Amino acid sequence: MEFSKVYFLGIGGIGMSALARYFLHEGKRVAGYDRTESRLTRELTDEGAEIHYEEGVRFIPEPFRDPAATVVVYTPAVPADHPELVWFREQGFEVEKRSQMLGYLSAGKYVMAVAGTHGKTTTSTLVAWLNHETTEGGSAFLGGISKNFGSNLVLGAGDRLAVEADEFDRSFLRLEPDVAVVTSVDPDHLDIYGTYEAVKEAFAQFVRRIRRGGCLVLKQGAEIALDGGGIDVYRYSYDEPCDFYAANVSLLDGGFYRYDLVMPDRVIADCTLGIPGWVNVENAVAAAAAMWCAARARGERLDEERLRGALASFAGVKRRFEFYLNTPKQVYMDDYAHHPRELTATLTSVRKMFPGRRITALFQPHLYTRTRDLHAEFAEALSLADEAVLLPIYPAREEPVEGVTSELIAAGVRVPCRIVPREALAETVAAMPTDVVVSFGAGNIDACCEALAERLKRKAE
């Protein structure tokens, strides 16, 4: 594939922006469209990308109108009738999905792919960090902003490539991993798949794409048909005995944990993880398992001291268990969780971290179809808090669905619950009697975080 320019439709997406950064680093000219300006798009502009926020063919820069020199990359979140996408296709441009481009870029690499309906961003970022710290190399395309790297793109020496493998629109079926981690297989993206059985079948297809002689690291209890051959299959869990798990787990101050990492051939004692929460210990077990598989397959030595140090120095991912305030009087953290299982895992972790304290959950539902399909499960998860505040549904790529609103969730929540507009969230929560506050959502609730943190901080003084 020969080209000197890359045009992105949906350039501000977390996965798309990583690709854009990669091509800028490679010396390509980069331009693109996104619906709204964000910190990511501003950073890309500073790095040399040309970005516009009004859709229309007339906004495409002249240098990117040559099909012989330009490849177009789009995210499936962009509708098929988007005028720029339609024009590029009519003019004969090479048009690729993000997942196709990622598949091309991973050719010739030793691919360590992390898939799952939740948990994949933190786990893939952990794999990237463990790679970096234990091998002094490794590259990565991530689905979140790593706090250690300060980016969603990692460029390092060697052929190891950590990738977040996204199940949306079956994108992960473009990859051929050497090591694959599957963190969860829950009903999600049913607007794409239709049924839970179709979701499970897609994950089974992903597993079949693991290269012969490779490894699958599968969450204990995850349901996937393992009908292929030629790969090694390992199970992992938080603390349930299997191939990889944490033993002798003890809770430390601030919600951090000390544990022994149990592997098939050894136990690495006295590990700590640089971020709090039991669910992150489970993610760390999965990432360490992937590193063990890679070292074993390549005849390398897994450096236990470096691994222990890398786990301790892991700083996490933006919007994943991210603390803005953590004092005895007031705690506020934000999380990207947007599936009931994710909310349940995070709220369970928070309850263990802060026993006896009052938890207020703030949640912005993401997508009408997800709310329609899972509103009862969302209500059940939010009932793990002591009080809940809901925002209106964030539509993302969807048009409204009749009868589907945040009230569907609120009706099933068994603790006090209210619905407020996003612009009133900070003021509303600051006026409430709060102790531990957790905000959730994959939409734009994160735009409220700074204001809410400042108000809660003032209240706690």
Side-chain angles (χ1 to χ4, degrees):
M1 188 186 298
E2 295 294 329
F3 54 89
S4 59
K5 304 175 185 69
V6 193
Y7 189 89
F8 289 88
L9 283 164
I11 194 169
I14 193 70
M16 292 282 278
S17 60
L19 283 176
R21 280 185 159 136
Y22 171 82
F23 285 116
L24 285 166
H25 178 269
E26 292 295 299
K28 308 290 187 185
R29 287 194 64 176
V30 170
Y33 157 82
D34 209 284
R35 185 167 57 180
T36 56
E37 186 181 27
S38 65
R39 181 171 62 182
L40 273 175
T41 60
R42 288 191 291 272
E43 289 174 353
L44 286 172
T45 299
D46 291 342
E47 292 166 23
E50 302 172 54
I51 302 175
H52 62 271
Y53 304 97
E54 296 179 82
E55 65 177 55
V57 175
R58 68 184 185 278
F59 298 109
I60 300 170
E62 190 62 37
F64 294 84
R65 292 170 175 263
D66 177 9
T70 303
V71 65
V72 178
V73 183
Y74 72 101
T75 170
V78 171
D81 61 353
H82 189 283
E84 295 181 33
L85 181 58
V86 170
W87 183 84
F88 280 121
R89 283 179 165 150
E90 288 177 345
Q91 299 302 311
F93 282 76
E94 185 164 4
V95 179
E96 305 282 3
K97 284 185 181 180
R98 183 191 69 86
S99 57
Q100 291 172 304
M101 184 59 71
L102 191 56
Y104 293 141
L105 295 178
S106 65
K109 299 288 188 180
Y110 187 87
V111 178
M112 307 172 74
V114 180
T117 44
H118 51 84
K120 58 183 173 287
T121 299
T122 298
T123 306
S124 58
T125 306
L126 265 160
V127 170
W129 181 242
L130 298 184
N131 255 335
H132 175 79
E133 290 294 281
T134 62
T135 72
E136 299 182 355
S139 300
F141 290 96
L142 303 174
I145 303 299
S146 161
K147 291 186 177 180
N148 290 99
F149 295 111
S151 180
N152 51 354
L153 172 68
V154 181
L155 298 171
D159 66 344
R160 289 193 187 191
L161 176 66
V163 178
E164 178 171 330
D166 189 4
E167 76 279 3
F168 175 72
D169 198 39
R170 297 175 172 84
S171 293
F172 57 178
L173 300 184
R174 300 286 179 178
L175 296 170
E176 293 184 352
D178 296 277
V179 177
V181 177
V182 176
T183 63
S184 51
V185 185
D186 295 317
D188 198 10
H189 300 303
L190 298 184
D191 55 321
I192 301 294
Y193 288 98
T195 67
Y196 183 27
E197 291 304 315
V199 175
K200 290 190 284 188
E201 173 55 28
F203 275 90
Q205 291 175 28
F206 171 69
V207 169
R208 293 182 199 120
R209 296 184 65 82
I210 298 173
R211 291 170 180 157
R212 191 169 185 83
C215 294
L216 169 65
V217 178
L218 181 61
K219 170 72 184 296
Q220 182 85 317
E223 295 183 29
I224 302 180
L226 301 176
D227 50 12
I231 64 170
D232 293 325
V233 179
Y234 299 95
R235 297 277 182 169
Y236 80 93
S237 76
Y238 167 52
D239 60 357
E240 180 182 349
C242 55
D243 297 309
F244 299 88
Y245 65 98
N248 301 318
V249 180
S250 58
L251 178 63
L252 308 177
D253 290 342
F256 296 87
Y257 287 84
R258 178 180 292 115
Y259 58 97
D260 297 338
L261 181 56
V262 181
M263 295 181 163
D265 62 345
R266 75 194 75 178
V267 175
I268 305 178
D270 294 325
C271 295
T272 57
L273 188 63
I275 57 175
W278 73 264
V279 69
N280 287 317
V281 173
E282 183 176 81
N283 293 333
V285 170
M291 295 296 297
W292 183 90
C293 289
R296 179 172 175 268
R298 293 158 70 91
E300 299 170 355
R301 177 179 174 271
L302 181 63
D303 190 313
E304 295 183 10
E305 283 305 311
R306 284 192 172 189
L307 181 68
R308 190 184 285 108
L311 291 169
S313 61
F314 181 65
V317 186
K318 289 287 292 180
R319 295 219 63 217
R320 269 71 174 184
F321 240 83
E322 183 175 14
F323 280 88
Y324 282 78
L325 190 61
N326 189 356
T327 71
K329 289 186 177 180
Q330 182 69 65
V331 173
Y332 172 48
M333 60 169 284
D334 178 57
D335 195 84
Y336 190 72
H338 55 284
H339 185 278
R341 289 285 183 91
E342 295 171 332
L343 267 69
T344 297
T346 300
L347 286 171
T348 303
S349 284
V350 171
R351 184 69 74 186
K352 289 182 177 181
M353 290 160 58
F354 303 106
R357 297 181 67 173
R358 179 179 176 81
I359 299 173
T360 301
L362 320 177
F363 178 51
Q364 181 186 47
H366 185 262
L367 298 177
Y368 293 101
T369 53
R370 184 180 285 128
T371 304
R372 177 198 65 201
D373 296 334
L374 301 173
H375 61 87
E377 290 85 349
F378 278 122
E380 187 70 22
L382 290 167
S383 297
L384 295 172
D386 296 291
E387 188 169 14
V389 178
L390 294 174
L391 299 186
I393 296 170
Y394 183 81
R397 58 187 179 271
E398 294 184 336
E399 295 297 323
V401 175
E402 185 176 354
V404 178
T405 65
S406 292
E407 280 78 2
L408 272 180
I409 298 173
V413 177
R414 300 189 309 276
V415 297
C417 180
R418 68 182 81 180
I419 300 172
V420 302
R422 188 175 68 92
E423 56 272 16
L425 181 65
E427 181 179 353
T428 300
V429 175
M432 294 166 58
T434 57
D435 182 3
V436 178
V437 179
V438 190
S439 55
F440 299 101
N444 58 3
I445 190 173
D446 60 310
C448 305
C449 290
E450 294 289 349
L452 180 54
E454 184 57 36
R455 293 206 178 200
L456 293 175
K457 184 178 180 181
R458 289 203 304 266
K459 189 170 75 168
E461 290 175 348

